[in-house]
């Protein structure tokens, strides 16, 4: 029985670590675990008295029925609340913006900003226009909807592909509400 608990804890830890990667929502893993736990408690059958050699009292049978009933009710309510939150969302924003650190960690955390493998922001979807007057600059469309000018060096050759590749870097440096991750 101890090995079953150890494997369950390892599975929980592994799924939580996988949930820290981008585009994998840790809230889904944790919510699934919680709902699965509640559904398991509410549908779990009691072992027979022959297994342990202990008779069940009327109080323990009543307690088991009450726990199963409330576990089932809480599970149904949890599924309904999660469905409502999911359907009310727009697929772009999160109902808990402060909870982003729980669902994504820039990796590797020990690298500097330019050397990370992935980021936890919306800068991969930014766009920009090149404006030549009064000075050469990019009009960067930040993820929060603001426009930010980014000065360009007029002495270097501008390559469209290189500028497009560097837009997320400009976003992380210049956009005001970008999570620095």
């Amino acid at each position: 029985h101890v090995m079953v608990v150890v494997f369950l804890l390892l599975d929980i830890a592994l799924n939580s670590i996988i949930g820290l990667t981008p585009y994998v929502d840790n809230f889904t893993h944790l919510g699934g675990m919680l709902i699965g736990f509640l559904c398991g408690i509410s549908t779990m059958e009691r072992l027979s008295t022959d297994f342990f050699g202990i008779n069940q009292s009327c109080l323990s049978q009543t307690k088991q029925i009450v726990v199963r009933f409330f576990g089932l009710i809480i599970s149904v309510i949890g599924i309904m609340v999660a469905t409502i939150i999911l359907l009310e969302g727009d697929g772009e924003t999160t109902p808990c913006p402060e909870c982003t650190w729980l669902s994504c960690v820039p990796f590797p955390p020990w690298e500097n900003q330019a050397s990370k493998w992935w980021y936890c922001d919306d800068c991969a979807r930014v766009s920009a226009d090149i404006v030549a007057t009064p000075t050469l600059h990019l009009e960067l469309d930040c993820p929060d909807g603001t426009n930010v000018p980014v000065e360009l060096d007029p002495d270097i050759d501008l390559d469209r592909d290189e500028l497009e590749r560097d837009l997320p870097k400009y976003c992380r440096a210049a956009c005001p509400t970008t999570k620095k991750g």
Side-chain angles (χ1 to χ4, degrees), residues 121-142:
D121 56 26
D122 294 329
C123 285
R125 299 181 295 157
V126 297
S127 61
D129 295 319
I130 297 177
V131 179
T133 55
T135 60
L136 184 63
H137 68 277
L138 288 174
E139 276 295 320
L140 193 64
D141 298 323
C142 293

Side-chain angles (χ1 to χ4, degrees), residues 121-127 143 167-173 175 178-179:
D121 56 26
D122 294 329
C123 285
R125 299 181 295 157
V126 297
S127 61
L167 281 179
K169 179 178 71 172
Y170 294 136
C171 170
R172 290 183 190 100
C175 289
T178 302
K179 296 179 283 296

Side-chain angles (χ1 to χ4, degrees), residues 28-46:
T28 304
H29 284 131
L30 297 174
M33 181 184 71
L34 179 65
I35 294 298
F37 178 74
L38 290 173
C39 286
I41 284 179
S42 63
T43 60
M44 181 174 56
E45 283 295 323
R46 189 89 170 165

